[in-house]
Amino acid sequence: MTTTEAVKAEQSLATRIAARTGGGVMRVFLVLIGLFWLMPTIGLLLSSLRSPADISASGWWEVFTAPAQITGENYSKLFDNEVVMDSLLSTVLITVPATVLVVVIGSLAGYAFAWMEFPGRDWWFLLVVALLVVPVQVALVPVAELFGELGIFGTTLGVVLFHVAFGLPFAIFLLRNFFAEIPRELLEAARLDGAGEIRLFTRVVMPLGGPAIASLGIFQFLWVWNDMLVALIFADADSPPITVALQQQVRQFGNNIDVLAPGAFVSMVIPLVVFFAFQRQFVSGVMAGAVK
């Protein structure tokens, strides 16, 4: 074997070892990052399964050495707490309509901006893009005054309308760009077959835009569900969403950890369930946007 061949063989062997080692090291690194990222969630779960006395006496990691501390009594108290349970219902009544309306209206507007001709289309779309940079805090006072005049301040309807208004610019921007990538030939072929705009939208555009629509729905759901600022200002004080209800529990009962811990965990688990239920569509939408 010549010197050159020996060097190539050595480099090839070193490359294979580095590749295998690097893959293993990368997996271990990603697992550690994942565990570190999940640590607050695990800690909250274990805290919600411990009694208030145990929580005050030691950290949640003591469960691993004393598993007898685990109990479901906190969740029994949570389900018996009418304030927290009513707040979960209020959160659903706010989040579901706000998500559905943003997805439906955003899809229709995105299709119109992508494939329909009307006067000032590009200028209207630039206005939509400009609304993306408007912070929520700027609109709190004027919208509160407007809702007060309309008689919907402090109602579920007011919270839903606020979330819809601020969710639509991003929804239209996202879906318009996604719909614009649909091959024109496909739409023209459907029009030649006699499909109108409504049928074209429901039978062609919506199925092709499913991943993007699912991604938008997940983003909107998570944003509305976890919102506290808008709910704290616009929601009904007698039936606040879960974020405000938990904050009120902290303010009124500072040591009410047996309700706060399971309530916070339940509030966090529901968005996680929604995310994992639509994980495939979410990844498809993100990857499609990246490729395009």
Side-chain angles (χ1 to χ4, degrees):
M1 180 181 294
T2 63
T3 304
T4 304
E5 292 175 348
V7 172
K8 289 183 178 179
E10 183 179 357
Q11 290 177 347
S12 178
L13 178 61
T15 301
R16 291 197 300 270
I17 294 175
R20 294 179 181 178
T21 305
V25 172
M26 182 58 66
R27 293 191 192 96
V28 173
F29 177 74
L30 292 177
V31 169
L32 292 177
I33 291 296
L35 292 176
F36 181 77
W37 189 266
L38 289 175
M39 190 174 297
T41 304
I42 297 173
L44 181 61
L45 171 61
L46 295 179
S47 296
S48 68
L49 295 173
R50 304 174 72 208
S51 66
D54 292 331
I55 294 175
S56 301
S58 59
W60 57 266
W61 50 86
E62 294 292 333
V63 171
F64 296 107
T65 57
Q69 294 181 358
I70 295 178
T71 176
E73 184 179 355
N74 291 343
Y75 285 92
S76 298
K77 293 181 179 179
L78 175 69
F79 296 141
D80 292 337
N81 190 309
E82 295 183 0
V83 175
V84 177
M85 298 310 297
D86 290 343
S87 68
L88 278 174
L89 178 60
S90 299
T91 306
V92 172
L93 294 177
I94 291 172
T95 305
V96 174
T99 302
V100 172
L101 287 174
V102 167
V103 170
V104 172
I105 299 175
S107 300
L108 292 171
Y111 172 75
F113 280 116
W115 293 109
M116 296 181 67
E117 297 289 342
F118 55 89
R121 183 186 68 174
D122 294 337
W123 288 106
W124 283 110
F125 183 69
L126 289 177
L127 177 61
V128 171
V129 174
L131 291 175
L132 288 172
V133 303
V134 178
V136 174
Q137 293 80 0
V138 173
L140 292 177
V141 174
V143 173
E145 294 178 353
L146 175 63
F147 283 2
E149 295 178 359
L150 295 176
I152 59 175
F153 182 81
T155 63
T156 300
L157 177 61
V159 183
V160 171
L161 291 179
F162 191 97
H163 284 301
V164 170
F166 273 85
L168 278 177
F170 175 74
I172 297 172
F173 174 77
L174 174 68
L175 296 181
R176 182 265 179 190
N177 292 338
F178 192 92
F179 292 161
E181 297 294 333
I182 298 176
R184 181 180 295 273
E185 294 79 9
L186 183 62
L187 301 180
E188 292 178 351
R191 287 192 177 98
L192 290 176
D193 290 338
E197 295 296 338
I198 296 179
R199 189 172 184 181
L200 187 65
F201 174 75
T202 56
R203 298 295 181 87
V204 179
V205 175
M206 288 291 286
L208 292 176
I213 294 173
S215 300
L216 171 64
I218 292 174
F219 277 124
Q220 180 69 10
F221 184 92
L222 295 179
W223 177 49
V224 177
W225 183 277
N226 294 318
D227 170 73
M228 182 176 176
L229 176 62
V230 176
L232 189 62
I233 297 175
F234 292 95
D236 187 356
D238 296 329
S239 58
I242 184 66
T243 52
V244 178
L246 292 177
Q247 186 269 342
Q248 291 175 348
Q249 292 284 319
V250 174
R251 184 177 59 195
Q252 295 176 2
F253 311 102
N255 59 352
N256 200 16
I257 190 64
D258 54 335
V259 174
L260 292 174
F265 185 76
V266 170
S267 174
M268 182 176 58
V269 162
I270 294 177
L272 287 177
V273 171
V274 172
F275 174 80
F276 284 114
F278 297 95
Q279 182 182 16
R280 181 174 300 178
Q281 292 83 354
F282 176 77
V283 173
S284 299
V286 173
M287 293 301 295
V291 172
K292 292 175 182 180

